[in-house]
Structures are given as C-alpha cells and as structure tokens.
Amino acid sequence: MIEPSVLGLHEVDETHVAVVGGKGAHLGGLSRIDGIRVPPGFCVTTDAFRRIMAEAPSIDDRLDQLSRLAPDDRDAIRTLSAEIRRVLEEIAIPGDLAAAITGALARLGEHAAYAVRSSATAEDLPTASFAGQQDTYLNVIGTAAVLQHVRRCWASLFTQRAVSYRQRGGIDHRAVHMAVVVQRMVNPAVAGVLFTADPVTSNRRVTSVEAVFGLGEALVSGLVTRDVYTVRDGEVIARAVGTKQLAIHASPAGGTQEQAIDPEIADRPALTDAQVVRLAQLGRRIEAHFGRPQDIEWCLVDDDVAELTGRTSGSGSPAGGPSGGEFQIVQSRPITTLFPIPESGDRESHVYVSVGHQQMMTDPMKPLGLSFWQMTTPAPMAEAGGRLFVDVTHRLATPASRTGLVAALARSDPLIGDALQTVLERDGFIRPLPDEDPPGPLFGGGAAAPIETDPAVVTDLIGRTQASIAAAERDIATTSGEALLDFIQADIQELRRILFDPQSHQVFMSAMEAAWWLNDQLQEWLGEKNVADTLTQSVPHNITSEMGMALLDVADVIRPHPDVVAFLRHVEDDAVSGEHWLDELGRLPGGREARDAIEAWLARYGMRCVGEIDITRPRWSERPATLVPVILGNVKNFGPGAGARRFEQGRQEARAKEQDVLERLRALPDGERKAEEAKRRIDRVRTFIGYREYPKYGMVSRYFVYKQALLKEAERLVQARVIGEQEDIFYLRFPELHDVVRTKHVDDQLIDRRKDAFRSYRALTPPRVLTSDGEVVAGAYRRAGVPTGALVGLPVSAGVVEGRARVILDMAQADLEAGDILVTTYTDPSWTPLFVAITGLVTEVGGLMTHGAVIAREYGLPAVVGVVDATRLIPDGQRVRVHGTGGFVEILP
C-alpha cells in the first residue's frame, strides 16, 4: 500500500507518529478534543521525506560517517551536518509531491500566511521531547515559499544540535524521519506556554502559564520579560507581571518583525485572571486526553488587545477564525523531565523518602533488581522512575514517631530533614493520626539494646554470615528450573534473618550512638568538633576499607613486572582478541603472580560493583577490566607496602587522639569521670564501628550466589528460545520470572517496554523527598558562617585540604593522581579502591553514616557530602578547598 504524501490534521492522531512525526500526531490528537481549537492544516508525511532521501544518495555516505563520530566531535559533526542540509535544501521536489502540497494549500487558501513546522518521528515523545531540535518558520506566504520552507524543515533534521542530541541519546540517524506540518498562521494578540505541572517543583496540581504580547517567539527567544501565572484548584494563586517592551508580529511581506509596546501598557498583565483560569482548564482537558502532563503552546486571538500591542489585523489571521478572546492551541508535547509519582491506590496525601539516597545508589534499577530489594527489606517500598521510596506519611502524621523520624533523617541527611519539616509546616497536607499503634522503625531495627563491648561478638556474627552463605552456595548448585526460584524465595528469608539479627543491629547501632556521644560531649567539654572522625581511623573488621588496602597489595605484586604493567595499559575490555585478558596475562613474565593476586582479590571482593544493591548490575568478577585503571593508578602513585603503612598510620593517629582527649578531659573538673565515660565510648566505637559495613557485604555476597544461578537458568531459557538473551530476565520481576521458568513463555513486548522505560529513567534525577502531588520538596542547609560563594554540604569527616578536583562520574574512567580531591555524584562501597589515592571527597548524595562518610573517616580524608550539583558547579581540574569540619567547599582562584 502506497502511503499518501499529504494528510490533513483531521485525518491523523497520536497513533500516527511514524507517518506525521511527533508534532503532527499531537496536533491531530488535539484537533479531536472537544472544546480545543487548533489552526487548520496538513502534514507532508514521512513517506515524502524518505522519497527525497532516496533521491540524494550522497547523503547515505555522510550518514555512515556521522554514525562513527563521538557526540563531542563538534567540528566534524558541524561539517557533515551542514553538507547534508545543503543537499536537502537544494533538492527538487518531485512533481506529484509538489502538486499534492499545492493542492492542500489551495483548499486552505493559497494566498494565506502559514506556519511551516518540522515534525520528526523522534520528537514530542513520552520519553524525549526533542524540543527546539528542528526548525519552525512563521508567516510563510505564497506556494513557492511554502515549498522552499518544507525543504528547510527536512534539512533541519540535520542541524548540528539535532545530530548531537541523537548521538548522545544513542538514536540512529536513519531511524528518524521528518514530516512537515503546514498550518494556517495565527497572528495573536497574546501567546505563550502552559505547563500542566509546575516546571520548578513538578507539582501536578499546579498549572503554570507564561504569556507575552504578540507571537510566542518573543518568549522562546528571551527577548522580553514574560508574565508568569500560577493556578491551583481553579484559582490564580500567584502572578508575576513582566515589563513587556517588545512584541513579535507577522510582517505583511512575510516573516516576522519586532514592534515596540506602548509604555502605558508594557506593565499590564497580558491576560486577565479569568483568561488564565480558562486556559488552565483547557490544559487539564488536553492532559486528560494524552494521559500525562503537557507542555502546551497557545495563542489568544483578540483584536481589541492586538491594536494596543501593535499587531496589524488582517494578514495572517485564519479566515473565519475565532475572535473576541478565543484560545488556539498550536502545540502540545509531554513534559519528559518530571519524576513519576509512586502509585498509592488512594486519593490521600502521601510523602515519600528516597531509598537510593540512603543506600548511595540513585541510579535506576531494573525490575528484577527492584524486586529483590523489595523481597529483602522489612519496610514496604513504593516504586517510581526505577527507584524505590518509603512512604513516611503515617510516621509524620503520628506525634509519637514524627519527631524521631525527622531528627534521625536530618542527622543523616539535613536536606531530607529540612524538606520533611517544610511539608509538616503546610496546613492540612498531612492528616494527623492519634498516637495509638505508632508505626515501626523506618528501615528496620530501632533503638539498640545494651550490649557488652566484646570483639568476639563481631567475629561470631561474621562467622555465622560466612557459614550461611557457603551453605546457600552449596545447596543452590544442585537446583534448576522452578526449584531454583523456590529455593531463592525461601533462602531470602535466611538473608533477612541475618540482615536484621537483633544482635547485629545492636553492634553497629551502639557504635554509631557512641560516635555521636563522643562528638557531642567532646565538643561541649573540649570545644573540639567531630573528634570521632579521627578516633575511628583504621578500625578492625571494616570489610570495605580492607578492600581498598588489599588492592594496594595487588599493585605491589604487579609493580616489579614492566611487561605486566605495559599489558594492563592496553586492557579495555574483558576479552582480548577473543581471549579473556586474565588468561593472556598469565603467559607474561610475572603474569602468573599478577593473575593469581587479582583472582584472589576477586574471590573475596569480586561480588561488588557500582550500584551493587541492584542484583542485575555487572559484578567485578564478571567484568574485572573495570578494576584495571585503579590498579594502574596504585602502581603509579604508591610504593611497596603502602596498604600496611597507611593502616598503621591511621591506627597511630587514632591512638594519639585518644590519649590527647583523655589527658585533656582528666584536667577538667570531674575529669576522671568524664575521661572514664569517654574511654568506654572510644573502646566501643573502635570495637564495633568496622562491622557497620559487613551486613551489606554479606547481602551482596548472597545476591551474587543467586545471580550466578539465575544466569545459568537464563541461558537454558535462551537455548529453549524462550528469551532472546540472558539479560532479558533482568526486566522481569521475580514472580514473573518464576512464571516464565514454569510456562516457558514470555511476553516479549513487556520486556521491550521495560527496556524503553529503563532508558528513559536514566535521564531522571530522583528527588530526596516527593509528595503524591508529584512535588519535589527541596530541602536547604540552615547554617550561618559559610563563606560567600562556598558550596554547602554536610560535614562527615574532619579536616581541611586543598587540591585539584577530579569530577568523576564513572569509576572505570577514573584517572587520579596522588593528592587529588574526588568529586562525584555518590560513592557506594565499590568506590573504595579510589579512596586510597585521594586527599578529600565531595559528593552530591550522602549522609553521616553512609558509605563515603564511613570510609572517609576510616582513611582520614576530609569529606563533605550532600553538596547539591557539585559535579556541575565544580569544574574538573579546578583547585578547591574542602572543609570537612565546617561542611563546605571553596572554589579557589
């Protein structure tokens, strides 16, 4: 069947994206909504574009060249994209296609003015808006001019910006086609944009309207100060009226022109409150039709206002078009930057706290990873945007739990505490509940019962965990099929028993409480902040800090062998010429010793990786090449025995600080009692705080046992042609995977949809606190005495250090020199090997007892966490000063 080259807007809807592009499909959908006025027009379809591309074979070679370029190779992209545009702008439109376009123009009025607008198939989609990537031409008059601007719209698919955008998003240039929308021109008195969710806070109950006199191009280009109106529940609750000195109007000869606004009306609102509310109602109707919040472009045709703002009536107005203040909608696209709202199943207000900010993993998780975490945790967790959240509404509504919850979360992450306080101060958002039956602890556990400071308690807990993992590894080896899924489901109860063992909780909670006591009391008694940071250096049984030191020992084995070092410098992937690099390494002089050292390290720590709480993430044992840059950095930056020396140095510094503190306390009134109390807490914190990292290590170790077994089962499903590849199972929840194993049938479309959704989730930034209205509640640091221009965060490891900032978003790309300061989004245990090379740490996410803070204190690194937008505000290579005691970062000249 031959597709038509031209379709009227009334003939298409949002299901026709492949034929008329995103903009055309949305305009067709809009034209079908009762009460929504859309300027009449037609679409030149993607079939026409494909015909044109086929008649220009020189473009094909240039597309091949483009596909091989990196997104940041701007010069090459600029040159190639300009060549493609030139070909398309100069190409002759075939006679039958030109006739179809001119025939459509004749039906609408060939002497009228038109807007000619690009409409790509990868534009205005639910997961990516591509706003502004292609071109729009206004007030195009005459058939020849329309045809020329159709060619320009085709060419705009290959602007440098559009090409770079697709390359960054991994979108094949050949997979995107261009349709063109041609609409009767609206020459409005007022125009603007309407967001059916607040563009700043993401609140879905709030509508935001921006307005300028004349065409909306004045707003888009930033030429004028716009009016901004905020609507909630059918009422304008805020307005900011700008001084609108210019308007853009259609020119009688075609194109647009700027016109000055009469100073007497420049400060007048462009819209009345009644018009704003009416526009907001239209927005809600459009949102309901498309099923998601919308970014809408609108025009108001009102001749009375037009005369005041300098518009010449007549040319450009649609024949028979609305007058007397009618709104016309000229575009609607989904707002793709909003974070999704967890489903609650009711219409009550809810407040959600991010789990990822507590676990130091704010990346999205695949469905199987989410499922495993939900099976493991004691608290019910809501899902949104590939992340997990805890609903704290009940705890906030109950006086008995409210104060403790906010205080605990504020101590860990002040931004969460402040955001929750903001919510509590709002009248009526949370309905109060009586104190009867207060909810349990948020993340399991609760207040720690007393426990004797006995090192044997820790070694016993570790021994029991190791024995349980070994038993699981032994028993799972003989299971497959449904029995494997049943085994894992049952064994997770054993994992939960170990994770939430009351004695385990007593150990690390008593250590944390001892550290808090030391910081509070020693500041009060001695005037010294954060003393526990030094006292907790080089403690026993910290499996995570030991991991970083152990990789220094691996470097010691490699350093004496230049052939091994040279080989490792060229390892980029885990397969070298089809062979695993570790196997090839073993044939080099010194290579066997190097391989054995790496494999021994992997045997103890290889179940870890970045984002390790997601069982689907590739582990170091699966991709050991990830570690090579860190190993080479250790070879270059350290000498033999650095790991042992560093640990001993930390132990000596802690011992010296203990002696100093106790001597100073004894010199105070009632000093012997104070020193005795402090000594008791110091012993407790040094005995128990290292165990703080072990429960997670045990959980991740068990997850890896499960994962290895599941991947073997997935391979059987691949061989049976049930799934296409092993990793397809990662896009199924655990019960769904159980059904697939049982029935040997899978919904391929479900997996494809979830893969698409996961890709879109990666572009979202999860909030610390989110409400059921979709509002992202941002907290703030309430702290005085911070230098002007400094970036504020949470102080988690004392000291002050200056150095070169290295902004690193991917551990595998780390290139650190001794003395560098690491700046990154978050650090989970997998980042620990980098800590041995740095002198300071700055992260965007973190809390007092989260991984980066614990290990920074263990290694004696000044650290500030929770610095909002640190990776954007601190340039890579910039010299900075980190105030780990004061909690701020200064950018140095």
Side-chain angles (χ1 to χ4, degrees):
M1 177 180 175
I2 299 175
E3 291 185 3
S5 299
V6 172
L7 289 170
L9 286 179
H10 64 282
E11 297 179 89
V12 300
D13 60 24
E14 53 269 30
T15 66
H16 292 87
V17 172
V19 179
V20 296
K23 187 181 283 102
H26 273 75
L27 285 168
L30 284 166
S31 67
R32 295 165 181 259
I33 305 173
D34 288 342
I36 302 298
R37 301 293 300 272
V38 177
F42 60 88
C43 299
V44 183
T45 66
T46 55
D47 180 63
F49 176 76
R50 284 189 289 270
R51 284 182 60 190
I52 292 297
M53 291 288 284
E55 293 187 16
S58 63
I59 291 177
D60 211 45
D61 177 60
R62 291 180 173 92
L63 289 178
D64 287 336
Q65 295 177 56
L66 270 181
S67 67
R68 293 191 289 268
L69 295 178
D72 56 357
D73 192 350
R74 295 184 183 88
D75 291 340
I77 290 174
R78 182 186 306 111
T79 300
L80 281 170
S81 56
E83 291 172 1
I84 295 172
R85 289 198 307 276
R86 191 178 308 113
V87 172
L88 289 172
E89 287 177 0
E90 295 174 357
I91 201 165
I93 298 178
D96 61 324
L97 176 56
I101 295 171
T102 55
L105 287 172
R107 289 189 290 275
L108 290 176
E110 57 186 322
H111 299 297
Y114 290 90
V116 183
R117 315 169 71 190
S118 65
S119 180
T121 54
E123 182 178 15
D124 294 354
L125 302 181
T127 56
S129 74
F130 287 76
Q133 298 303 312
Q134 285 86 43
D135 290 342
T136 288
Y137 301 95
L138 299 179
N139 202 36
V140 179
I141 300 174
T143 300
V146 169
L147 292 173
Q148 178 59 36
H149 284 86
V150 167
R151 285 193 291 262
R152 289 181 179 174
C153 282
W154 288 334
S156 74
L157 188 64
F158 298 100
T159 62
Q160 181 184 349
R161 182 170 55 171
V163 168
S164 297
Y165 191 96
R166 289 195 295 272
Q167 304 230 142
R168 284 193 300 272
I171 298 171
D172 183 356
H173 299 297
R174 288 187 173 86
V176 182
H177 301 109
M178 179 67 81
V180 181
V181 175
V182 181
Q183 281 180 287
R184 283 287 298 264
M185 181 71 185
V186 177
N187 196 10
V190 183
V193 294
L194 158 69
F195 301 96
T196 64
D198 190 306
V200 176
T201 69
S202 300
N203 193 322
R204 310 305 203 268
R205 293 184 61 187
V206 171
T207 298
S208 179
V209 176
E210 300 179 1
V212 295
F213 291 133
L215 290 165
E217 301 309 296
L219 187 154
V220 174
S221 61
L223 285 174
V224 299
T225 303
R226 65 199 185 281
D227 293 354
V228 180
Y229 308 87
T230 304
V231 181
R232 182 175 181 134
D233 298 331
E235 179 183 355
V236 178
I237 60 171
R239 67 180 60 76
V241 178
T243 300
K244 300 168 287 294
Q245 297 175 329
L246 287 173
I248 294 179
H249 289 295
S251 171
T256 60
Q257 62 186 15
E258 295 179 9
Q259 292 181 345
I261 299 292
D262 185 336
E264 292 187 6
I265 69 165
D267 293 322
R268 288 188 191 176
L271 298 171
T272 66
D273 280 6
Q275 288 173 322
V276 171
V277 170
R278 179 152 54 98
L279 189 55
Q281 291 168 344
L282 294 177
R284 291 298 177 204
R285 189 176 299 177
I286 293 168
E287 179 185 69
H289 175 82
F290 289 116
R292 63 181 64 234
Q294 297 287 301
D295 167 359
I296 299 164
E297 297 180 17
W298 54 270
C299 295
L300 175 65
V301 180
D302 187 332
D303 288 339
D304 292 336
V305 177
E307 291 178 8
L308 291 173
T309 60
R311 192 200 84 187
T312 303
S313 61
S315 173
S317 296
S323 61
E326 286 288 335
F327 286 106
Q328 293 216 25
I329 306 300
V330 295
Q331 186 164 338
S332 183
R333 62 170 72 92
I335 305 175
T336 60
T337 56
L338 297 175
F339 198 86
I341 305 171
E343 293 183 8
S344 64
D346 59 43
R347 301 180 66 85
E348 298 292 322
S349 297
H350 291 266
V351 182
Y352 302 96
V353 171
S354 164
V355 173
H357 285 80
Q358 306 295 315
Q359 291 295 328
M360 296 301 92
M361 215 292 273
T362 53
D363 296 342
M365 298 168 68
K366 295 186 178 76
L368 191 63
L370 292 168
S371 193
F372 264 90
W373 188 254
Q374 288 167 314
M375 291 161 65
T376 304
T377 182
M381 292 190 177
E383 248 179 76
R387 281 82 168 185
L388 291 170
F389 293 83
V390 174
D391 186 344
V392 297
T393 314
H394 190 191
R395 294 171 177 85
L396 292 176
T398 308
S401 60
R402 178 188 309 138
T403 303
L405 171 71
V406 175
L409 289 175
R411 182 188 282 271
S412 173
D413 186 335
L415 295 178
I416 291 179
D418 189 70
L420 292 178
Q421 195 59 49
T422 298
V423 173
L424 287 170
E425 291 169 1
R426 294 179 179 170
D427 290 339
F429 186 79
I430 295 178
R431 183 165 50 86
L433 295 174
D435 269 338
E436 311 144 357
D437 191 25
L442 184 60
F443 295 108
I451 186 172
E452 183 181 353
T453 303
D454 180 1
V457 174
V458 174
T459 55
D460 180 58
L461 284 168
I462 291 173
R464 279 188 274 158
T465 299
Q466 290 174 336
S468 178
I469 293 169
E473 194 168 12
R474 181 190 66 240
D475 295 344
I476 205 171
T478 58
T479 61
S480 62
E482 285 187 79
L484 171 63
L485 279 295
D486 292 337
F487 174 88
I488 291 173
Q489 192 161 15
D491 193 73
I492 282 179
Q493 301 312 309
E494 170 69 1
L495 169 60
R496 286 165 60 98
R497 184 190 66 77
I498 293 171
L499 273 179
F500 307 112
D501 182 330
Q503 188 180 46
S504 175
H505 179 74
Q506 285 175 297
V507 167
F508 64 75
M509 280 305 300
S510 65
M512 291 163 61
E513 288 166 359
W516 295 334
W517 185 95
L518 286 165
N519 280 338
D520 293 343
Q521 290 302 128
L522 295 182
Q523 182 171 357
E524 179 184 335
W525 291 340
L526 300 177
E528 186 174 350
K529 287 184 177 181
N530 302 334
V531 177
D533 295 357
T534 306
L535 293 170
T536 52
Q537 290 186 47
S538 298
V539 295
H541 303 302
N542 189 320
I543 188 71
T544 304
S545 63
E546 289 170 5
M547 176 175 68
M549 298 297 188
L551 205 59
L552 285 172
D553 297 339
V554 172
D556 288 350
V557 176
I558 290 170
R559 192 178 293 107
H561 304 292
D563 290 347
V564 171
V565 174
F567 173 84
L568 291 177
R569 288 193 181 116
H570 294 92
V571 171
E572 295 181 358
D573 202 347
D574 285 303
V576 180
S577 303
E579 180 180 26
H580 199 286
W581 64 271
L582 280 171
D583 296 328
E584 188 171 341
L585 175 64
R587 294 196 293 272
L588 299 173
R592 182 176 298 176
E593 296 91 328
R595 182 193 62 196
D596 290 348
I598 293 170
E599 289 180 341
W601 190 93
L602 289 171
R604 183 160 173 77
Y605 305 109
M607 75 294 292
R608 312 208 84 156
C609 67
V610 175
E612 62 188 12
I613 66 171
D614 181 355
I615 195 173
T616 71
R617 287 288 190 104
R619 309 285 139 175
W620 285 332
S621 286
E622 297 170 315
R623 295 187 185 174
T626 307
L627 296 164
V628 170
V630 184
I631 294 172
L632 289 173
N634 289 347
V635 168
K636 178 177 67 173
N637 295 325
F638 297 95
R645 281 197 310 276
R646 183 155 188 164
F647 185 85
E648 181 58 24
Q649 179 185 343
R651 196 181 69 81
Q652 294 289 351
E653 288 176 4
R655 176 65 179 159
K657 174 57 71 175
E658 176 182 341
Q659 292 173 343
D660 170 64
V661 164
L662 296 178
E663 286 176 10
R664 289 158 62 194
L665 286 175
R666 291 188 184 103
L668 298 176
D670 197 18
E672 285 300 328
R673 179 190 62 81
K674 291 174 180 175
E676 186 178 316
E677 288 187 24
K679 173 61 174 169
R680 192 161 59 248
R681 263 62 174 219
I682 292 170
D683 288 347
R684 170 158 295 196
V685 79
R686 288 195 61 79
T687 300
F688 286 160
I689 197 67
Y691 179 75
R692 172 74 177 83
E693 292 286 305
Y694 201 87
K696 190 173 189 179
Y697 171 80
M699 181 194 76
V700 171
S701 298
R702 208 175 197 100
Y703 272 9
F704 191 43
V705 172
Y706 300 156
K707 182 182 183 183
Q708 289 172 299
L710 287 172
L711 285 175
K712 289 178 183 177
E713 191 64 32
E715 182 56 31
R716 287 189 280 270
L717 293 173
V718 171
Q719 295 300 320
R721 299 188 178 181
V722 177
I723 57 176
E725 57 186 11
Q726 280 183 306
E727 293 191 357
D728 282 351
I729 68 169
F730 296 162
Y731 296 92
L732 298 170
R733 302 182 190 284
F734 188 84
E736 294 168 341
L737 177 57
H738 197 294
D739 287 343
V740 169
V741 170
R742 178 177 57 84
T743 64
K744 300 297 186 288
H745 174 75
V746 71
D747 183 344
D748 293 326
Q749 292 183 342
L750 173 67
I751 290 176
D752 289 341
R753 287 196 302 273
R754 287 186 176 166
K755 287 180 178 180
D756 289 341
F758 181 75
R759 280 190 287 269
S760 71
Y761 295 156
R762 294 173 67 180
L764 299 176
T765 300
R768 285 173 164 84
V769 176
L770 180 70
T771 74
S772 50
D773 290 341
E775 181 183 4
V776 173
V777 186
Y781 291 104
R782 313 290 179 179
R783 192 187 308 151
V786 176
T788 303
L791 307 179
V792 185
L794 177 66
V796 295
S797 185
V800 178
V801 65
E802 291 185 16
R804 179 181 69 155
R806 293 309 317 274
V807 180
I808 297 173
L809 302 180
D810 180 355
M811 178 185 158
Q813 305 301 318
D815 181 15
L816 292 166
E817 301 284 345
D820 282 346
I821 292 170
L822 174 62
V823 180
T824 189
T825 309
Y826 64 82
T827 62
D828 63 5
S830 68
W831 287 74
T832 300
L834 297 184
F835 281 33
V836 299
I838 62 176
T839 57
L841 173 69
V842 179
T843 68
E844 295 179 341
V845 176
L848 198 60
M849 292 307 297
T850 51
H851 163 263
V854 172
I855 304 304
R857 290 193 291 270
E858 169 87 8
Y859 285 180
L861 304 174
V864 181
V865 302
V867 181
V868 177
D869 292 333
T871 60
R872 182 176 61 84
L873 297 174
I874 300 175
D876 185 43
Q878 173 73 47
R879 285 196 65 79
V880 297
R881 182 183 297 125
V882 178
H883 293 258
T885 307
F888 58 90
V889 181
E890 292 181 281
I891 297 178
L892 302 177

